[in-house]
Amino acid sequence: MSWITGTAPASATSAPVNLFPPSSSSAPARYSVLPPHYTRLYYPTSTSYRFTRRSRQPLLSYTLSSLPSLPHLKDAFRALPFHLSPPPIDHDHSFFTQDTVTNADDRISIEAFHSDDEALDAAEKGAVVVDLSHYGRIRVGGEDRIQFLHNQSTANFECLSEGQGCDTVFVTPTARTIDIALAWIMKNAITLVVSPVTCESISKMLEKYIFISDKVEIQDITKQTCMFALVGPASNQIMERLGLIDLIGQPYGSHKHYSVNGKPVTVAVGNVISEEGFSFLMSSDSAGTVWKALVAQGAITMGSGAWETFRILQGRPAPGKELTDEFNVLEAHLWNGVSLNKGCYKGQETISRLVTYDGVKQRLWGIRLSSLVEVGSAVTVDGKKVGKLTSITAGKRASEPFGLGYIKRKAASKGDTVIVGGNVVGTVVEVPFLAQQRVLSKT
């Protein structure tokens, strides 16, 4: 069906939600919390609801007038958004393709985020909540899902069990970087969290490598779900106040299913920017309630501008910037997502040679700068080009210029001085995300 987006009139804020509106252009409004910090209004322009098989091919199509004669389908359809047992992401969404309806009481109206500097300070000393619903979520299902992802990315999925997780890197056959994915091993599927700019291409790439005999299903569940990150040293206190204490101190990627104020949510240790903090994954119907609960317990709201600054300060590489076909996975220093001991997988031969023959010639570093300079500027030492700047931010209070860049290993390392863009002085520094990476060897 198709939908028209618009702005909610004041009179609509208390209107009841009607899952089966009449066949009329004046049908009652439907509300969604994706993302949670503003309200989106939908008007149905078609009264046909389609049901699909797991293969995503149309199975049946009914109009509302036919549903009364099929009470079992009508009841199932009405129950779907509201009666999924946790985890909502681990349920088989593919049979019904209806968008989730959000109760009016769970909507979040437009609200101002804290200033970037307030949020960045809280990320260092307190706790912040960030809406990452624009990040991609890919559900990999089917009996062969473990072996499939084991062969298509760099991590060892065969050593993981339900409730665990890891980072894995999608690379080209020559180990050039595409994206890092945060993977959670659930009961019926593996959920992958990827960058918003790579979700579609990674989904298509995975589908391309499914053979006829493979029992694997790829489903983009981004629009049916929401995701928040809880970041900062006070994240554990927020979790304690919410009663989610049994994840505190657990390994990165560990996840469990909870109820927050009556709404089902999947919570995991770590997030896309750090092994510390937590991720919250839920249906759109639960997002408003969970967001309000985190804010009520003291989490400061962080907007997209501050999040990009925080990403650079933390040293988390991003597609199109640090992750391109110009750099390989070990130059990006993504060791935590790489297994050197598992069987054949895409990019393995190149990675094996790089490790065996010490072939990593450059690596990603943080660079503290004396002033701002353009992305792409050359990094030089003694007048010779030794690298390239890939990201930059003005930093907190626009007074602490900081960048990420690749530098040749023999030219400079931590603590050394470099020149960026011809005249800007830079100091090479370690950054938290890359400092967490544990360099591996064949031995």
Side-chain angles (χ1 to χ4, degrees):
M1 70 178 69
S2 55
W3 303 92
I4 300 174
T5 60
T7 303
S11 59
T13 56
S14 60
V17 174
N18 187 351
L19 187 57
F20 296 98
S23 178
S24 169
S25 60
S26 61
R30 299 182 39 181
Y31 293 94
S32 172
V33 271
L34 205 171
H37 49 271
Y38 64 82
T39 299
R40 180 178 293 167
L41 182 66
Y42 296 94
Y43 289 97
T45 59
S46 169
T47 57
S48 293
Y49 293 85
R50 177 165 291 181
F51 303 85
T52 62
R53 294 185 187 274
R54 293 175 66 119
S55 62
R56 299 180 297 280
Q57 296 300 315
L59 171 63
L60 297 170
S61 183
Y62 291 110
T63 61
L64 291 178
S65 60
S66 67
L67 281 172
S69 63
L70 297 163
H72 59 291
L73 284 179
K74 184 174 181 180
D75 291 343
F77 191 84
R78 178 179 286 116
L80 178 65
F82 304 103
H83 301 290
L84 298 181
S85 60
I89 316 307
D90 203 19
H91 188 84
D92 182 9
H93 290 284
S94 58
F95 185 75
F96 293 97
T97 57
Q98 171 69 10
D99 290 337
T100 302
V101 178
T102 301
N103 290 317
D105 291 341
D106 293 329
R107 291 182 291 109
I108 296 182
S109 59
I110 299 173
E111 60 179 292
F113 281 83
H114 289 80
S115 73
D116 287 358
D117 289 331
E118 283 182 291
L120 291 169
D121 285 340
E124 286 186 3
K125 303 173 184 178
V128 297
V129 57
V130 192
D131 176 18
L132 299 184
S133 296
H134 60 295
Y135 272 64
R137 270 89 62 199
I138 301 172
R139 183 182 189 273
V140 183
E143 295 177 16
D144 299 330
R145 60 188 181 274
I146 295 289
Q147 184 62 46
F148 178 75
L149 284 178
H150 189 84
N151 294 339
Q152 295 301 321
S153 65
T154 59
N156 188 343
F157 281 87
E158 292 182 342
C159 70
L160 298 175
S161 58
E162 182 183 343
Q164 295 181 321
C166 68
D167 281 343
T168 192
V169 188
F170 288 103
V171 298
T172 69
T174 56
R176 302 291 172 167
T177 53
I178 298 173
D179 199 2
I180 317 166
L182 175 52
W184 294 320
I185 313 302
M186 296 182 173
K187 181 178 181 180
N188 299 316
I190 299 173
T191 298
L192 301 174
V193 181
V194 298
S195 166
V197 301
T198 63
C199 184
E200 182 178 359
S201 61
I202 288 177
S203 295
K204 290 180 178 179
M205 179 183 69
L206 292 176
E207 289 178 345
K208 176 182 176 181
Y209 285 99
I210 298 176
F211 294 102
I212 295 177
S213 60
D214 289 339
K215 297 178 181 178
V216 177
E217 300 163 352
I218 308 299
Q219 184 183 12
D220 184 345
I221 60 170
T222 306
K223 292 182 179 180
Q224 289 77 36
T225 58
C226 289
M227 180 177 172
F228 307 147
L230 182 64
V231 180
S235 296
N236 287 353
Q237 288 92 312
I238 301 289
M239 293 286 285
E240 289 174 356
R241 293 170 196 152
L242 290 173
L244 313 179
I245 59 175
D246 51 346
L247 271 184
I248 297 174
Q250 295 301 306
Y252 175 66
S254 301
H255 56 278
K256 294 187 177 181
H257 314 302
Y258 299 97
S259 175
V260 173
N261 290 347
K263 295 293 186 178
V265 58
T266 299
V267 185
V269 177
N271 48 69
V272 297
I273 216 165
S274 172
E275 292 189 2
E276 300 175 350
F278 301 89
S279 297
F280 290 73
L281 192 61
M282 68 232 93
S283 67
S284 301
D285 182 54
S286 303
T289 298
V290 175
W291 180 269
K292 289 179 179 178
L294 291 168
V295 172
Q297 298 304 324
I300 299 299
T301 56
M302 175 180 277
S304 58
W307 177 254
E308 174 62 7
T309 295
F310 190 60
R311 177 194 74 81
I312 297 171
L313 295 175
Q314 290 292 300
R316 207 277 193 183
K321 298 178 180 180
E322 291 76 35
L323 305 179
T324 71
D325 59 7
E326 187 177 350
F327 310 109
N328 67 56
V329 62
L330 300 187
E331 290 172 338
H333 209 61
L334 300 177
W335 292 92
N336 288 2
V338 175
S339 171
L340 301 181
N341 301 315
K342 69 172 185 171
C344 181
Y345 62 93
K346 188 188 298 183
Q348 181 194 32
E349 291 184 9
T350 299
I351 293 173
S352 182
R353 287 197 300 270
L354 289 171
V355 174
T356 300
Y357 300 107
D358 193 24
V360 182
K361 304 301 182 184
Q362 59 183 341
R363 68 150 286 189
L364 187 60
W365 288 98
I367 307 175
R368 187 176 295 114
L369 300 161
S370 59
S371 63
L372 291 174
V373 64
E374 291 186 1
V375 169
S377 296
V379 178
T380 61
V381 174
D382 296 331
K384 296 181 180 180
K385 182 179 178 180
V386 297
K388 183 175 78 169
L389 190 73
T390 54
S391 289
I392 191 168
T393 175
K396 290 194 296 183
R397 295 165 185 83
S399 62
E400 302 173 3
F402 193 89
L404 297 175
Y406 284 90
I407 301 175
K408 290 182 179 179
R409 286 176 58 193
K410 295 182 179 180
S413 60
K414 182 179 178 181
D416 290 339
T417 298
V418 296
I419 302 298
V420 183
N423 57 6
V424 175
V425 178
T427 302
V428 179
V429 298
E430 191 62 271
V431 280
F433 183 86
L434 300 179
Q436 293 171 346
Q437 306 295 313
R438 294 168 283 277
V439 178
L440 306 175
S441 69
K442 285 290 186 180
T443 57

